[in-house]
Structure formats: structure tokens, C-alpha cells
Amino acid sequence: MPRTGFRSSPALQIEIEDKRPIYFPGDTINGFVLSHRKLSALLDSLQSIRLKLFGRAKTKYVVKSGGSGHHRSIYRGRAVFVQVSKVVHQGHICETGQHAWPFSMTIPEHPTPSIASRGNAFDPSPPFLFTRDPWTKQETDVVQHQLPSVMYYDDESAWSRKKIQAFVEYALLAEVGSTKAVVPLYVRQRSVPSPIASHAMQLRSFLQETKTLALLPEYAGVSPPFGAKLVSMLRPSKTPKYSYSIMVAYPTIIQLEHPEPLPFKIYLIPNLDSKETTISPEGGNVDQLPVVTITSMAVELKSHIHIRCPGTFSDHGDSKHHTYRISGRSISTPVAVPIIQKSDSKPDQSQETANLFSFNPYTTSKQKAIIPSAALDLGILFSVFLGARSAKRQIYPSFATYNIAVSHTLKWKVNFSCAGEKHSVGGEPGVTVLAPSEEQEQMKMKKLGRYRGMEKSYDELKAGREAAVDFVGQIVQAAAS
């Protein structure tokens, strides 16, 4: 399922004025459709030259079956969410030589109606957008949807014998009879102007209990004698214990290529109830409590690629996920978790807050909690940065269109110890991944230069190489022509 490639000939070609590596919805593209009369005898009899701007998302799902895998079931999906056309010339051409017809095409800011007439109709099915009301079977108001940015995905599994392909593309197409000229366009949504300051933090509490003889001062750092161990085994209720809550605030909105590390804040709230903590310090002095130290942390971003291909009775589709490790370094010396005594004060505007975690996935907690300024930032400690590329493939922001969707989860785990006892806490919340800010994109383009920046933009789509189309070389050729 090759993407649309650059096509040009002396008989018909498209020339864009002030070529740019990136276009946005709402941008106007000006240029000329060119033809050389001597090399284009078709123009004698044809009445019009039409120029079309289109944007579409295509999917392909292949399932191999049978002992040798020779039998294949192939399903396809096609959503043409943008199609604008105009006639740039009407009538016969008598003169010989070079002909140039000016044009001006504006990229729509939203999908254009009548999507089903240009491809498939799409019923509701999370996480995708849909074009058809399931009850009336009429097209929904697609103008309310955003246009997706260009992307490309290709994956094949020898184990499951399944292959999925998905891409979003935009292009200008000039046609006169069977002669065509094509210029692919790199179109993406505008991101936020500058790197985000708010990550929609969520705060989760993990109840912990350390129960060991090593909590006693006389056994700190040494092995207890056999008699003490035997008493501890026979009368476990007499074994010293320390109960506390590990509080972790983690982001639910993250941004690719953000210059600052991902925020992960951690602190500890001791439970000084005498029934839960038998080693309560005198006078409630928390400085006398056992030290809980961080030993390591692992953070992974999981990208989930979902596709669907509408069928006669039901959709066919699949989803794949890819894991990217984003924690940057280890630490040689354990770091103590700050102890914060519980506070009932309400947050004010000057304090960092987080939504309290809820175990119900269908509700979002409205309760806010203060993240203490003394909390330890594990993102800084372990250098947790999120780039847009990995050694394997491109990382795409979260988005959904009619037959392609990209979602993410952030899997994290923190290992710590107390009095020689090892513990860990972790989670895998859903996160929204934003594209790099426009400030970051401009910095990249400035470093790369104009045409190298164009090549870079299209190189980011090359998750897999298509033999039929050398996409990068073609777009640079189009830019330099």
C-alpha cells in the first residue's frame, strides 16, 4: 500500500511558489500548473485541467492463515477527509511552447463533508472518530473534527502472521486526461507555542509496611541473633513495624522533545498510629523515623497504534504497541524520600497541585491535593526525557481519526528500601502525548536549514522503506525544482 509519491513530467507539472517544509490547516498554497505544448499533444482535444488538493487516511490489514501462510485475508480502509478541486484551465490550447496556469488552494481547517462518498463510512467504535450516526445512518457533523497530521506506520509480525499498515497523507494532484502531476505535502496541526508548563499531574497513594527486626536501633545494620529471629517467627505481632504512604505525583499530559525532564514527584507520609507503627518516635519527631531510600526507577512509554477497515457486517482491525524506555540514568547512591506530615490545608494558587487518583477508570477525581515543595523530583534525579524518535521508529503524538488512532500509556516503577527491606510501587496510567512545541520545531528547522528541514520532516515518516517510492528524495527534488 504505497503512499502518494512525487510525479512530474514536461507534459504536466506543479510548481509551488515559496515552497515550505511544513504546511498547516488554513494555509494557502500558490503556484502554477505547467505544461509544454510540444510534449503534450493531449491538450488539443481536452477541455479542462483540474487541480485537486486531498488529504486521506488509509489502512491495510493482512492476516495470513493455513499451514504455510499462503492464504491471505486482506482488508482495507480509506477515509478521504479533505478534497478540494478547481479547474485551472477550461478550453483548447492552440499556442505552442510553455504554458503556466496560476492557482491558489487553501488547506481546509476541518474535514470537508460527504466523506462516505469519497471512501468508507465509519460507525462509532472507540477510540476512533466516526462519520455516520448509528441510528439515522446520516453523516455526522465532521466539520467539528480536527485534521490529523501526516504519519506513517508499518508493522508485520511473523509470530501472529498479521501485518498492518496505516498512513495519513496530503497532496496536490493535477490531471489532464491520463496525464498526472503530484506534489506530496507535509501537513500537520499547529502545536502549542512554547513547551507546556502544566502536565495535569495525578497523585496516587501507595500504602506500605516495613516489618523487620532491623527497625530496632540495636539491630540496625547488623544481623539479629538466632533467638531474636525465632521469637519474631513465633510471635510475628511482636515484630517492629513501620507503616507509611508513598505518595507519587506523575504526569498525565506529556510533550515530545520538552526541554525539561518529565515531572515525577515523590514523598512519604508516615502513619504514626501506635497500632500501625510500633516504632513511633518520641514526641512525634519524624526525623527519628527510619529512612526510606530510592534505589532505582524505570519509565517506559507505550505507544498503541489502532487501525480499522470497515467491512460489510463489521469492522476488521487490530492494534499494536511499541515500548520506548525513557528513563535516562541510574544512581550510585540511594536518595532519601522526604517525609511530609499530613496536612489538611486547602491548596492555593501559588502551590503545585494534582488530581487525586481514582481506581474507577470512567471517572476523573475532582479533588485537588497539594504537592509539597519538598517532594523529591525523580524526573530530574533519573533524567527522564521524552524525545520524538527512538532507535526503532517515530513516536507520534496522541490523535484519532476515522480509521487510525494513536494512544499512549506511561509505565513507571520506583524501587526503594527501608531497613534492608526492598519495596516497589508503580503504575501504567493513560497519558496524552503532545507534539513538540512550535518553539522547539522552529529551533530544529533553524539548525537544519530550509531544504534539510524539509528532508528531515519527511524522513520522520520513514518508519519503513517502500520499494516503489523513495519518498524523501522525491520531496527534496520537488523542493529544489
Side-chain angles (χ1 to χ4, degrees), residues 29 85 109 125 160 186 201-202 205 243 254 263 278 294 351 357 396 425 432 439 443 449 455 460:
I29 304 172
S85 63
E109 296 187 9
S125 177
S160 66
Y186 190 102
M201 302 292 284
Q202 190 166 65
S205 173
S243 297
I254 58 181
T278 60
I294 302 294
Q351 295 173 302
F357 171 80
Y396 290 105
V425 296
T432 299
E439 180 180 304
M443 289 174 61
E455 184 176 356
E460 289 178 352

Side-chain angles (χ1 to χ4, degrees), residues 65-183:
S65 58
S68 59
H70 289 310
H71 179 72
R72 298 192 304 167
S73 298
I74 302 176
Y75 309 97
R76 301 177 189 273
R78 184 169 176 264
V80 184
F81 38 79
V82 162
Q83 184 166 295
V84 181
S85 63
K86 63 170 55 180
V87 175
V88 296
H89 172 76
Q90 185 77 37
H92 293 281
I93 301 173
C94 300
E95 301 86 359
T96 60
Q98 184 82 12
H99 297 276
W101 298 278
F103 70 83
S104 181
M105 298 281 278
T106 299
I107 302 171
E109 296 187 9
H110 303 281
T112 51
S114 303
I115 288 178
S117 66
R118 305 187 294 266
N120 300 117
F122 297 91
D123 294 319
S125 177
F128 307 99
L129 300 180
F130 60 94
T131 64
R132 184 167 59 187
D133 186 285
W135 304 108
T136 65
K137 301 302 180 182
Q138 300 298 312
E139 184 172 273
T140 58
D141 183 16
V142 297
V143 178
Q144 65 180 317
H145 299 152
Q146 271 197 337
L147 293 180
S149 301
V150 290
M151 63 87 67
Y152 179 79
Y153 179 80
D154 187 340
D155 185 85
E156 184 171 9
S157 171
W159 179 78
S160 66
R161 298 198 292 187
K162 295 179 180 179
K163 179 178 181 178
I164 68 174
Q165 287 180 286
F167 62 76
V168 175
E169 66 175 1
Y170 296 81
L172 280 174
L173 167 66
E175 293 180 292
V176 51
S178 60
T179 305
K180 298 181 179 181
V182 181
V183 174

